Amino acid sequence: QVQLVESGGGLVQAGGSLRLSCAASGRTFSSYAMGWFRQAPGKEREFVARISSTGSITYADSVKGRFTISRDNAKHTVYLQMDSLKPEDTAVYYCAQQGSSGHAYHPTGYNYWGQGTQVTVSS
């Protein structure tokens, strides 16, 4: 069993920054890709960023150049640094651990999820 706990959300003005953290416990953290997704009210959950077990990184076009994903395997933690935030970034942000053969950029490819953390960007 894997437990994921996010932290770091909050309210910030447009142009500001937040850093989200996701602490993992359970099966070997370093062996699995980790992803961040977000879900705004009335919308489907969407891919934000992914970091593979070897450190390969992919971003959604909407956050490229503004968000940075990283991981610390020694601490079993994945981070999402969010800069130049926009009101349209407002959503609940979730971290997730990808399954062994799951789709890399769709929620169905991820087996374990955190509880989510709210990010609100005011204009």
Side-chain angles (χ1 to χ4, degrees):
Q1 189 72 12
V2 174
Q3 291 81 42
L4 302 174
V5 180
E6 301 102 334
S7 61
L11 173 65
V12 64
Q13 289 188 333
S17 298
L18 283 173
R19 188 194 195 202
L20 305 183
S21 300
C22 173
S25 61
R27 64 180 183 177
T28 306
F29 176 79
S30 60
S31 299
Y32 295 89
M34 298 295 296
W36 285 97
F37 290 78
R38 66 187 181 186
Q39 188 166 18
K43 295 188 176 181
E44 293 186 351
R45 192 167 298 189
E46 65 174 4
F47 169 77
V48 174
R50 173 187 180 271
I51 184 166
S52 74
S53 60
T54 59
S56 178
I57 291 173
T58 307
Y59 297 101
D61 288 343
S62 59
V63 307
K64 201 172 295 183
R66 301 187 298 120
F67 290 12
T68 303
I69 188 172
S70 61
R71 66 190 299 163
D72 185 334
N73 289 334
K75 295 183 178 180
H76 287 205
T77 301
V78 61
Y79 304 96
L80 186 68
Q81 176 67 40
M82 305 186 294
D83 299 317
S84 302
L85 282 161
K86 304 175 181 179
E88 50 264 44
D89 294 318
T90 295
V92 177
Y93 283 70
Y94 298 90
C95 72
Q97 188 175 80
Q98 187 178 353
S100 298
S101 58
H103 192 294
Y105 311 120
H106 193 274
T108 56
Y110 290 73
N111 292 341
Y112 298 98
W113 292 84
Q115 81 286 354
T117 185
Q118 177 70 47
V119 171
T120 303
V121 184
S122 63
S123 57

